Protein backbone atom coordinates (compact mmCIF):
# COMPACT_ATOMS: atom_id res chain seq x y z
CA UNK A 1 0.00 0.00 0.00
CA UNK A 2 1.17 3.49 -0.73
CA UNK A 3 0.78 6.61 1.44
CA UNK A 4 1.58 10.14 0.34
CA UNK A 5 1.54 12.74 3.09
CA UNK A 6 1.06 16.38 2.12
CA UNK A 7 2.33 18.68 4.86
CA UNK A 8 4.16 21.91 5.49
CA UNK A 9 6.13 20.07 8.22
CA UNK A 10 7.66 16.97 6.60
CA UNK A 11 10.21 16.76 9.45
CA UNK A 12 7.35 15.98 11.82
CA UNK A 13 7.16 12.48 10.33
CA UNK A 14 10.85 11.53 10.25
CA UNK A 15 11.18 10.00 13.69
CA UNK A 16 7.77 8.26 13.97
CA UNK A 17 8.10 6.67 10.53
CA UNK A 18 11.61 5.52 11.33
CA UNK A 19 10.68 3.46 14.37
CA UNK A 20 8.98 0.19 15.24
CA UNK A 21 6.31 -1.45 13.21
CA UNK A 22 6.05 1.26 10.55
CA UNK A 23 9.78 1.20 9.90
CA UNK A 24 9.68 -2.59 9.53
CA UNK A 25 6.70 -2.45 7.18
CA UNK A 26 8.58 0.02 4.98
CA UNK A 27 11.80 -2.03 5.06
CA UNK A 28 9.88 -5.17 4.17
CA UNK A 29 8.35 -3.39 1.18
CA UNK A 30 4.80 -3.78 2.51
CA UNK A 31 4.20 -0.04 2.41
CA UNK A 32 5.67 2.95 0.64
CA UNK A 33 5.38 6.26 2.46
CA UNK A 34 6.38 9.55 0.87
CA UNK A 35 6.05 12.99 2.39
CA UNK A 36 5.57 16.02 0.15
CA UNK A 37 6.32 19.52 1.34
CA UNK A 38 3.35 21.62 0.23
CA UNK A 39 5.66 24.63 0.12
CA UNK A 40 7.49 23.04 -2.84
CA UNK A 41 4.29 23.40 -4.85
CA UNK A 42 3.73 27.10 -4.12
CA UNK A 43 3.78 29.19 -7.26
CA UNK A 44 4.46 32.71 -6.00
CA UNK A 45 7.91 34.07 -5.26
CA UNK A 46 7.42 33.95 -1.47
CA UNK A 47 6.36 30.29 -1.61
CA UNK A 48 3.14 31.13 0.21
CA UNK A 49 0.95 28.21 1.22
CA UNK A 50 -1.61 30.26 3.15
CA UNK A 51 -3.35 33.60 2.91
CA UNK A 52 -5.88 35.80 4.73
CA UNK A 53 -9.52 34.69 4.57
CA UNK A 54 -11.85 36.51 2.19
CA UNK A 55 -14.49 38.23 4.28
CA UNK A 56 -12.03 38.93 7.06
CA UNK A 57 -11.62 37.14 10.34
CA UNK A 58 -8.83 35.53 12.24
CA UNK A 59 -6.05 33.27 11.08
CA UNK A 60 -4.90 32.09 7.72
CA UNK A 61 -6.39 29.74 5.15
CA UNK A 62 -4.37 27.22 3.14
CA UNK A 63 -4.30 28.23 -0.50
CA UNK A 64 -5.86 25.80 -2.98
CA UNK A 65 -3.26 25.82 -5.79
CA UNK A 66 -0.25 24.34 -3.93
CA UNK A 67 -2.49 21.69 -2.35
CA UNK A 68 -3.97 20.77 -5.74
CA UNK A 69 -0.55 20.60 -7.40
CA UNK A 70 0.78 18.40 -4.58
CA UNK A 71 -2.19 16.04 -4.91
CA UNK A 72 -1.69 15.79 -8.68
CA UNK A 73 1.99 14.99 -8.16
CA UNK A 74 1.25 12.42 -5.46
CA UNK A 75 -1.32 10.70 -7.66
CA UNK A 76 1.41 9.96 -10.15
CA UNK A 77 0.17 7.71 -12.90
CA UNK A 78 -2.20 5.71 -10.76
CA UNK A 79 -5.76 7.01 -10.73
CA UNK A 80 -6.79 4.95 -7.72
CA UNK A 81 -5.70 7.16 -4.85
CA UNK A 82 -8.19 8.20 -2.19
CA UNK A 83 -7.57 11.76 -1.02
CA UNK A 84 -8.10 12.14 2.72
CA UNK A 85 -8.15 15.50 4.48
CA UNK A 86 -7.41 15.41 8.21
CA UNK A 87 -9.75 17.87 9.91
CA UNK A 88 -11.76 18.01 13.13
CA UNK A 89 -14.83 18.35 10.89
CA UNK A 90 -14.37 14.91 9.34
CA UNK A 91 -15.79 11.44 9.95
CA UNK A 92 -14.44 10.13 13.23
CA UNK A 93 -11.75 7.49 12.78
CA UNK A 94 -12.66 4.12 14.24
CA UNK A 95 -11.59 0.53 13.66
CA UNK A 96 -14.17 0.05 10.94
CA UNK A 97 -12.89 3.05 8.99
CA UNK A 98 -9.27 1.90 9.48
CA UNK A 99 -10.25 -1.51 8.05
CA UNK A 100 -11.98 0.17 5.12
CA UNK A 101 -8.93 2.32 4.38
CA UNK A 102 -6.60 -0.68 4.63
CA UNK A 103 -8.31 -1.96 1.48
CA UNK A 104 -7.14 1.01 -0.60
CA UNK A 105 -4.14 0.94 -2.92
CA UNK A 106 -3.04 4.49 -2.21
CA UNK A 107 -4.01 7.13 0.34
CA UNK A 108 -3.06 10.76 -0.07
CA UNK A 109 -3.21 12.31 3.39
CA UNK A 110 -3.60 16.08 3.39
CA UNK A 111 -2.58 17.74 6.65
CA UNK A 112 -4.58 20.91 7.14
CA UNK A 113 -3.24 23.83 9.16
CA UNK A 114 -4.29 27.21 10.39
CA UNK A 115 -7.98 28.00 10.09
CA UNK A 116 -8.55 25.33 7.46
CA UNK A 117 -8.11 24.81 3.74
CA UNK A 118 -9.78 26.71 0.94
CA UNK A 119 -13.24 25.22 0.44
CA UNK A 120 -12.76 24.84 -3.32
CA UNK A 121 -9.78 22.53 -2.82
CA UNK A 122 -11.86 20.46 -0.43
CA UNK A 123 -14.77 20.25 -2.85
CA UNK A 124 -12.70 19.48 -5.95
CA UNK A 125 -10.04 17.13 -4.58
CA UNK A 126 -10.97 15.59 -1.24
CA UNK A 127 -12.71 12.20 -1.22
CA UNK A 128 -12.95 11.78 2.53
CA UNK A 129 -12.48 13.98 5.61
CA UNK A 130 -11.28 12.28 8.75
CA UNK A 131 -11.11 13.47 12.35
CA UNK A 132 -9.34 11.51 15.08
CA UNK A 133 -11.65 12.83 17.77
CA UNK A 134 -13.60 15.76 19.10
CA UNK A 135 -10.67 17.97 20.05
CA UNK A 136 -8.64 20.44 18.04
CA UNK A 137 -4.98 19.85 17.20
CA UNK A 138 -2.61 22.48 15.87
CA UNK A 139 -2.73 20.71 12.53
CA UNK A 140 -3.51 17.50 10.72
CA UNK A 141 -0.01 15.99 11.13
CA UNK A 142 -0.57 14.09 14.41
CA UNK A 143 -3.92 12.92 13.05
CA UNK A 144 -2.28 11.65 9.84
CA UNK A 145 0.19 9.65 11.93
CA UNK A 146 -2.61 8.11 13.97
CA UNK A 147 -4.51 7.16 10.81
CA UNK A 148 -1.36 5.77 9.18
CA UNK A 149 -0.53 3.65 12.21
CA UNK A 150 -4.03 2.25 12.60
CA UNK A 151 -4.19 1.30 8.91
CA UNK A 152 -0.66 -0.08 8.46
CA UNK A 153 -0.95 -2.56 11.33
CA UNK A 154 -3.94 -4.11 9.57
CA UNK A 155 -2.05 -4.84 6.34
CA UNK A 156 -1.19 -8.48 5.71
CA UNK A 157 2.28 -9.37 7.00
CA UNK A 158 2.77 -6.26 9.14
CA UNK A 159 2.07 -7.74 12.58
CA UNK A 160 4.60 -10.39 13.60
CA UNK A 161 3.47 -14.01 13.52
CA UNK A 162 1.57 -14.92 16.65
CA UNK A 163 0.24 -11.37 16.80
CA UNK A 164 -3.07 -10.74 15.22
CA UNK A 165 -5.31 -7.77 14.68
CA UNK A 166 -8.25 -10.15 14.74
CA UNK A 167 -8.87 -10.04 18.49
CA UNK A 168 -8.10 -6.37 18.95
CA UNK A 169 -10.45 -4.21 20.89
CA UNK A 170 -13.18 -3.00 18.47
CA UNK A 171 -12.37 -5.80 15.99
CA UNK A 172 -14.44 -8.71 14.78
CA UNK A 173 -12.82 -11.16 17.22
CA UNK A 174 -13.95 -8.88 20.05
CA UNK A 175 -17.39 -8.60 18.43
CA UNK A 176 -16.82 -4.84 18.16
CA UNK A 177 -16.35 -4.48 21.93
CA UNK A 178 -13.31 -4.16 24.18
CA UNK A 179 -10.68 -6.85 24.51
CA UNK A 180 -10.39 -9.16 27.53
CA UNK A 181 -7.75 -8.44 30.23
CA UNK A 182 -4.31 -9.99 29.70
CA UNK A 183 -1.80 -11.44 32.19
CA UNK A 184 1.81 -12.60 32.00
CA UNK A 185 4.46 -13.70 34.51
CA UNK A 186 4.82 -13.44 37.48
CA UNK A 187 1.78 -15.39 38.74
CA UNK A 188 1.47 -13.06 41.74
CA UNK A 189 2.09 -9.33 41.46
CA UNK A 190 1.28 -6.70 44.08
CA UNK A 191 -0.59 -9.39 45.99
CA UNK A 192 -2.82 -10.14 42.99
CA UNK A 193 -3.00 -13.54 41.34
CA UNK A 194 -3.55 -14.50 37.74
CA UNK A 195 -7.07 -16.00 37.37
CA UNK A 196 -6.80 -19.79 37.82
CA UNK A 197 -8.61 -20.58 34.59
CA UNK A 198 -5.80 -19.00 32.53
CA UNK A 199 -3.35 -21.51 34.03
CA UNK A 200 -5.67 -24.48 33.56
CA UNK A 201 -4.73 -25.38 29.99
CA UNK A 202 -8.46 -25.83 29.28
CA UNK A 203 -8.75 -23.83 26.08
CA UNK A 204 -12.53 -23.88 25.88
CA UNK A 205 -12.79 -22.62 29.48
CA UNK A 206 -10.19 -19.93 28.78
CA UNK A 207 -12.08 -18.81 25.71
CA UNK A 208 -15.34 -18.63 27.70
CA UNK A 209 -13.66 -16.67 30.50
CA UNK A 210 -12.15 -14.22 28.03
CA UNK A 211 -15.43 -13.72 26.25
CA UNK A 212 -17.28 -13.00 29.51
CA UNK A 213 -14.51 -10.71 30.78
CA UNK A 214 -14.53 -8.79 27.51
CA UNK A 215 -18.30 -8.30 27.59
CA UNK A 216 -18.25 -7.25 31.28
CA UNK A 217 -15.50 -4.75 30.54
CA UNK A 218 -17.34 -3.35 27.52
CA UNK A 219 -20.55 -2.97 29.53
CA UNK A 220 -18.82 -1.14 32.37
CA UNK A 221 -16.51 1.09 30.31
CA UNK A 222 -18.16 1.60 26.94
CA UNK A 223 -21.85 0.69 27.26
CA UNK A 224 -22.60 2.51 24.01
CA UNK A 225 -20.60 -0.15 22.12
CA UNK A 226 -22.65 -3.04 23.45
CA UNK A 227 -25.69 -2.44 21.26
CA UNK A 228 -23.56 -2.93 18.14
CA UNK A 229 -21.82 -6.10 19.35
CA UNK A 230 -22.51 -9.06 17.12
CA UNK A 231 -23.28 -11.97 19.44
CA UNK A 232 -24.37 -15.46 18.47
CA UNK A 233 -27.33 -17.18 20.16
CA UNK A 234 -24.82 -19.43 22.01
CA UNK A 235 -22.95 -16.37 23.29
CA UNK A 236 -26.16 -14.69 24.41
CA UNK A 237 -27.07 -17.90 26.27
CA UNK A 238 -23.66 -17.93 27.96
CA UNK A 239 -24.19 -14.34 29.08
CA UNK A 240 -27.61 -15.19 30.52
CA UNK A 241 -26.20 -18.22 32.34
CA UNK A 242 -23.61 -15.97 33.95
CA UNK A 243 -26.11 -13.34 35.00
CA UNK A 244 -24.88 -10.74 32.52
CA UNK A 245 -27.63 -8.63 31.03
CA UNK A 246 -26.88 -6.33 28.14
CA UNK A 247 -27.80 -2.67 28.39
CA UNK A 248 -30.80 -1.95 26.18
CA UNK A 249 -30.13 -1.20 22.52
CA UNK A 250 -30.26 2.26 21.08
CA UNK A 251 -27.42 3.75 23.10
CA UNK A 252 -25.12 4.27 20.22
CA UNK A 253 -23.35 2.92 17.19
CA UNK A 254 -20.45 4.94 15.94
N1 LIG B 1 -6.74 18.81 12.74
C1 LIG B 1 -6.97 19.51 13.87
N2 LIG B 1 -7.66 18.78 14.76
C2 LIG B 1 -7.89 17.55 14.17
C3 LIG B 1 -8.57 16.38 14.58
N3 LIG B 1 -9.15 16.27 15.76
N4 LIG B 1 -8.59 15.34 13.71
C4 LIG B 1 -8.03 15.45 12.51
N5 LIG B 1 -7.37 16.54 12.07
C5 LIG B 1 -7.31 17.59 12.90
Amino acid sequence: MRFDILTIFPDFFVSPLGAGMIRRAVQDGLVVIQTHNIRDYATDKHAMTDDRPFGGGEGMVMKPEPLAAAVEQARGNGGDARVVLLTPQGRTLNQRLAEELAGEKQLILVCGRYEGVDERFRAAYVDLEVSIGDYVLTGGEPAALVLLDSVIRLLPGVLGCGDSAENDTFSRGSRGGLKYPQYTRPRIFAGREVPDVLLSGDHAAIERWRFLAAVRRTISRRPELVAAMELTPAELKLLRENGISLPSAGVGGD
Side-chain angles (χ1 to χ4, degrees):
M1 183 169 180
R2 181 182 170 93
F3 294 87
D4 291 87
I5 307 171
L6 279 44
T7 173
I8 54 167
F9 295 125
D11 288 350
F12 179 93
F13 294 92
V14 173
S15 166
L17 297 185
M21 176 202 74
I22 298 183
R23 176 198 171 103
R24 207 168 346 111
V26 172
Q27 279 175 346
D28 293 349
L30 299 171
V31 289
V32 173
I33 308 173
Q34 192 178 342
T35 53
H36 304 258
N37 191 339
I38 297 165
R39 203 169 291 284
D40 294 342
Y41 297 88
T43 44
D44 66 299
K45 64 177 187 245
H46 301 297
M48 269 172 63
T49 56
D50 60 326
D51 208 338
R52 293 191 307 277
F54 278 122
E58 283 175 19
M60 301 289 267
V61 177
M62 292 185 83
K63 290 165 67 62
E65 312 96 305
L67 289 170
V71 168
E72 297 295 358
Q73 171 74 33
R75 259 195 230 284
N77 299 324
D80 291 344
R82 197 149 170 207
V83 180
V84 179
L85 174 67
L86 285 310
T87 161
Q89 299 182 6
R91 174 172 160 195
T92 307
L93 180 64
N94 59 17
Q95 196 65 22
R96 201 171 329 142
L97 180 53
E99 284 164 7
E100 183 186 319
L101 295 176
E104 298 286 344
K105 280 202 188 120
Q106 182 187 8
L107 291 180
I108 298 177
L109 304 179
V110 183
C111 303
R113 280 262 140 192
Y114 310 115
E115 301 302 307
V117 305
D118 187 287
E119 181 65 11
R120 294 159 299 175
F121 167 76
R122 194 197 60 71
Y125 284 87
V126 173
D127 299 313
L128 174 70
E129 296 174 57
V130 174
S131 163
I132 61 163
D134 290 342
Y135 41 83
V136 181
L137 305 165
T138 53
E141 282 79 4
L145 259 186
V146 168
L147 186 151
L148 200 78
D149 191 284
S150 68
V151 171
I152 287 180
R153 65 187 293 285
L154 296 175
L155 299 177
V158 169
L159 291 184
C161 57
D163 277 335
S164 163
E166 189 123 298
N167 291 319
D168 284 343
T169 286
F170 308 126
S171 295
R172 272 182 249 296
S174 303
R175 320 296 192 283
L178 304 185
K179 190 175 174 165
Y180 50 80
Q182 291 275 42
Y183 297 84
T184 185
R185 278 186 283 258
R187 284 174 64 162
I188 303 178
F189 172 74
R192 291 153 201 263
E193 290 187 28
V194 175
D196 282 340
V197 63
L198 299 180
L199 310 170
S200 68
D202 179 343
H203 293 295
I206 291 172
E207 207 174 303
R208 262 196 313 277
W209 182 89
R210 285 181 165 165
F211 169 71
L212 293 170
V215 174
R216 283 197 182 96
R217 182 164 272 198
T218 307
I219 291 172
S220 74
R221 297 186 185 184
R222 298 290 304 275
E224 81 282 7
L225 292 178
V226 175
M229 286 179 82
E230 291 154 16
L231 300 172
T232 65
E235 289 169 338
L236 289 168
K237 181 161 171 275
L238 189 59
L239 293 179
R240 272 196 307 277
E241 285 166 1
N242 284 275
I244 300 174
S245 52
L246 299 176
S248 52
V251 269
D254 280 347

